[in-house]
């Protein structure tokens, strides 16, 4: 896994983890990567500082996470958004059927009337996700980490 610093056209900066650089590019091109602050999908890699270990057993000094009042407000908004995302995930997990890696197949069945309409959640590959969107099947990525992976 690799972490990238990303930014959107509004100059919001955020981090995201990807399997590889090409995975980032595929997901960005598919419109899956979006700014957590404004929802923009036109994101790009931002310059990153290298992570260099300190010599010996000394710890490197780190800059404080909050630089000014605006950063503190932004931090509070991010924290609140994470709480909302956790509530959303909890609601979906309690009220929808988990279909695992059969998500794309089951979403199609529901969309085309071959299965009862109901809320579902699960996993799909990037290719499956693109295909569902191309078919006009409305899906929404569920924010946060899947508890099934924990």
């Amino acid at each position: 896994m690799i972490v990238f610093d990303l930014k959107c056209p509004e100059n919001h900066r955020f981090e995201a983890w990807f399997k590889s650089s090409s995975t980032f590019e595929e997901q960005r091109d598919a419109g899956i990567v979006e700014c957590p602050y404004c929802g923009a999908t036109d994101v790009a890699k931002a310059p990153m500082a290298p992570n260099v270990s300190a010599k010996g057993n000394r710890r490197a000094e780190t800059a404080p996470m909050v630089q000014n009042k605006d950063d503190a407000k932004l931090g509070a908004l991010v924290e609140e958004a994470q709480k909302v995302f956790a509530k959303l995930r909890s609601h979906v997990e309690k009220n929808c059927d988990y279909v695992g890696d059969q998500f794309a197949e089951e979403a199609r069945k529901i969309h085309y009337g071959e299965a009862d309409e109901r809320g579902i959640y699960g996993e799909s590959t990037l290719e499956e996700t693109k295909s569902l969107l191309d078919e006009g099947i409305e899906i929404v990525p569920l924010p946060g980490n899947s508890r099934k992976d924990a």
Side-chain angles (χ1 to χ4, degrees):
M1 297 295 281
I2 186 169
V3 64
F4 289 121
D5 285 341
L6 305 175
K7 68 177 182 175
C8 73
E10 296 295 320
N11 231 8
H12 299 131
R13 292 181 172 264
F14 56 99
E15 289 183 348
W17 288 86
F18 298 93
K19 185 176 180 180
S20 65
S21 184
S22 61
T23 301
F24 159 73
E25 291 167 4
E26 289 172 9
Q27 292 182 9
R28 180 201 57 209
D29 294 347
I32 296 172
V33 181
E34 66 179 43
C35 174
Y37 306 108
C38 67
T41 57
D42 182 21
V43 298
K45 291 180 188 175
M48 296 172 51
N51 186 7
V52 179
S53 299
K55 191 173 188 180
N57 63 355
R58 293 180 290 170
R59 292 174 50 150
E61 291 291 320
T62 57
M65 291 298 290
V66 176
Q67 298 290 329
N68 59 44
K69 289 192 304 186
D70 289 338
D71 286 346
K73 289 177 186 177
L74 182 59
L77 287 173
V78 169
E79 188 175 319
E80 183 63 28
Q82 289 172 334
K83 288 178 185 176
V84 170
F85 292 155
K87 286 181 184 178
L88 173 62
R89 175 171 281 284
S90 177
H91 176 80
V92 168
E93 290 175 346
K94 288 177 186 171
N95 296 289
C96 299
D97 293 335
Y98 176 70
V99 295
D101 62 1
Q102 298 300 308
F103 178 81
E105 181 181 335
E106 194 63 25
R108 279 190 184 88
K109 287 180 182 177
I110 293 169
H111 180 76
Y112 294 112
E114 298 169 7
D116 291 337
E117 190 165 326
R118 68 194 194 286
I120 62 170
Y121 70 105
E123 294 83 34
S124 66
T125 65
L126 179 60
E127 292 77 24
E128 289 170 331
T129 300
K130 287 179 183 179
S131 181
L132 290 170
L133 294 170
D134 287 344
E135 290 178 50
I137 300 172
E138 294 184 14
I139 58 173
V140 176
L142 191 57
N145 294 329
S146 171
R147 292 187 183 139
K148 306 239 182 283
D149 294 338

